[in-house]
Amino acid sequence: MRLIPGRLSREPDILFVTRENRARLTPQRLEGPADLAVEIISEESTTRDRVQKFAEYQQAGVREYWLIDPRPGQQQVTLYHLTDAGTYAAIASDEQGRCHSTVLPGFWLRPAWLWQEPLPNPLLTLLSSRMLPPEALQALRDAMGGDT
Amino acid sequence: MTDPTDEKRRTQEQRLTMSYREYMAWSSGDIHTEWVEGEAIVFLPPTTTHALLTGFLFRLMAPFADFFKLGVVIAAPFEMRLIPGRVSREPDLLFVARENGDRLTPDQLEGPADLVVEIVSEESGSRDRVHKYAEYERAGVREYWIIDPRPGRQETDLFHRSSEGRYEPIELDEQGNFHSMVLTGFWLRPSWLWQEPLPDPLLILEQTSLLPPQAVHKLRQAIQKR
């Protein structure tokens, strides 16, 4: 992810590029900011993720930044959304303890999923949380020959 | 889509001499590095094709391994300490069978994966087909998939380690599919890999009946609730 050509390239653990910004994906790399970046903190990356990348992503216009700290005794998830003022504001979880993304519309994350051992099955999680959007369900229905 | 203003791009990996202990202190979880015989290798960032293809295969293989409780699939960068003290690699994808789950320590994989997938890139040259092939064969990686998505190539080669410890190619069946012998029940149709855009992994799992009946049943239930 080439945030500032000639000056700054990062490789987030996970990134999401919306369909509208798909042109930023050249054959070689992502030119410009992702819409959403996820960093999983490790012992050696704490400052880089919490301070340096936080400032870089904010300045370069990564619209949402998820910081996940799975270290024992920490186990924190914070989703930051870029405000109109161009600064990151933490997204508060709802009453059910779900963190709603503003960039990946309809997607939400329950932090408790992330600390389970073993981790839950992602596909079953998508289904049981009813997060799969109607289009995806329709596509699945078509794929099954409409015999449901 | 070449960018004329592109500054000089590194076209080769970099090699730095250091001990394994130094490598551990120096390497970060951020970039793809390997350590072989006293040299750290810093890889070029993957291209878009490479990254999308890795993601596609991961999303195809991981749910399959999950549902059948066969083991875990992990994507790079993740250290596979193939020969402790001599060779550490970070394959694009690796699969560790449940029975070898104790090779997964909190920090890395100690010893060989059961299955490794490497996606060939422009600069990797002979690394995947010669060096890693020999290493993986010797160290006991039971299955090795080499996928070359470069235009004009588009080759998929699967190798299975025989009881004599030699890699033997897995042949396509009459339908044009490769059947894994390690990720039991999983098969791969090479033509999936060259589609643009890549197909939806979830639809493939559904259409090909790769997913077990109880999973399909759950999908159907979820659809009917809508």
Side-chain angles (χ1 to χ4, degrees):
Chain A
M1 171 170 77
R2 204 147 84 136
L3 283 176
I4 307 170
R7 275 192 47 213
L8 187 61
S9 284
R10 290 291 194 185
E11 293 186 18
D13 289 322
I14 298 180
L15 62 80
F16 165 66
V17 182
T18 59
R19 209 168 28 173
E20 308 87 83
N21 293 325
R22 171 97 199 191
R24 290 183 194 160
L25 273 178
T26 71
Q28 292 297 335
R29 62 179 82 80
L30 176 63
E31 289 286 348
D35 289 280
L36 191 164
V38 182
E39 296 288 0
I40 318 267
I41 293 179
S42 54
E43 216 51 71
E44 54 80 30
S45 77
T46 314
T47 311
R48 190 172 59 238
D49 293 332
R50 287 199 180 279
V51 181
Q52 286 159 253
K53 289 190 178 182
F54 184 94
E56 288 166 13
Y57 292 176
Q58 180 174 260
Q59 202 200 342
V62 174
R63 292 161 58 211
E64 210 167 279
Y65 182 30
W66 300 5
L67 258 174
I68 297 177
D69 190 342
R71 292 173 301 163
Q74 304 280 338
Q75 303 200 328
Q76 280 180 352
V77 177
T78 317
L79 278 63
Y80 295 96
H81 178 69
L82 199 60
T83 62
D84 293 337
T87 53
Y88 277 142
I91 298 175
S93 54
D94 70 10
E95 311 84 61
Q96 281 92 48
R98 303 178 298 192
C99 301
H100 294 261
S101 171
T102 56
V103 164
L104 198 55
F107 187 91
W108 48 267
L109 190 71
R110 198 182 291 284
W113 291 334
L114 308 179
W115 327 130
Q116 289 178 37
E117 290 195 23
L119 287 160
N121 181 307
L123 192 47
L124 289 184
T125 306
L126 277 172
L127 289 172
S128 60
S129 62
R130 310 266 184 101
M131 267 195 289
L132 275 191
E135 307 91 86
L137 293 171
Q138 183 60 49
L140 280 168
R141 185 182 292 154
D142 293 346
M144 291 187 298
D147 61 338
T148 52
Chain B
M1 260 202 281
T2 46
D3 176 6
T5 64
D6 208 349
E7 82 276 9
K8 271 194 221 94
R9 180 178 160 82
R10 272 203 296 135
T11 52
Q12 279 196 317
E13 76 227 13
Q14 294 193 325
R15 288 171 176 268
L16 306 165
T17 303
M18 64 179 79
S19 69
Y20 183 71
R21 185 191 284 265
E22 288 167 331
Y23 173 70
M24 281 287 94
W26 165 85
S27 71
S28 84
D30 260 25
I31 53 169
H32 188 177
T33 56
E34 293 180 345
W35 184 84
V36 180
E37 311 277 0
E39 261 189 342
I41 308 166
V42 186
F43 289 92
L44 292 174
T47 62
T48 306
T49 307
H50 190 291
L52 292 176
L53 199 49
T54 309
F56 169 74
L57 281 169
F58 177 82
R59 286 179 295 145
L60 203 55
M61 295 163 74
F64 184 87
D66 281 351
F67 271 107
F68 285 106
K69 300 191 167 35
L70 298 173
V72 292
V73 179
I74 300 177
F78 179 71
E79 183 186 0
M80 171 171 77
R81 230 153 79 107
L82 196 60
I83 309 170
R86 285 194 45 215
V87 178
S88 279
R89 294 289 192 183
E90 294 190 352
D92 289 318
L93 290 174
L94 60 81
F95 163 70
V96 182
R98 197 172 43 164
E99 55 272 27
N100 294 322
D102 56 2
R103 290 183 195 162
L104 276 176
T105 71
D107 291 322
Q108 67 262 102
L109 176 64
E110 287 286 344
D114 289 279
L115 190 163
V116 164
V117 182
E118 295 286 5
I119 301 188
V120 177
S121 50
E122 214 50 70
E123 53 38 89
S124 69
S126 58
R127 185 173 55 235
D128 295 324
R129 291 197 181 275
V130 180
H131 297 119
K132 290 192 174 178
Y133 181 98
E135 260 175 39
Y136 293 171
E137 180 180 67
R138 191 155 60 104
V141 174
R142 293 161 58 209
E143 207 166 285
Y144 182 30
W145 302 4
I146 303 176
I147 296 175
D148 188 343
R150 292 174 296 169
R153 305 278 175 108
Q154 302 199 329
E155 291 166 349
T156 309
D157 293 290
L158 276 66
F159 299 95
H160 181 70
R161 197 167 178 269
S162 68
S163 45
E164 288 84 46
R166 306 294 299 179
Y167 276 145
E168 288 171 359
I170 297 178
E171 306 292 341
L172 286 171
D173 71 7
E174 308 84 61
Q175 281 85 46
N177 301 322
F178 285 114
H179 293 260
S180 172
M181 299 170 75
V182 166
L183 192 58
T184 319
F186 187 87
W187 51 267
L188 184 72
R189 182 168 302 163
S191 61
W192 292 334
L193 309 176
W194 328 129
Q195 289 179 38
E196 288 193 28
L198 284 161
D200 180 339
L202 193 50
L203 285 184
I204 288 186
L205 286 167
E206 228 293 325
Q207 286 168 337
T208 55
S209 305
L210 272 168
L211 276 192
Q214 57 275 35
V216 177
H217 180 65
K218 280 198 196 304
L219 279 169
R220 283 176 198 274
Q221 276 183 331
I223 290 164
Q224 278 162 357
K225 276 186 198 149
R226 287 265 164 178

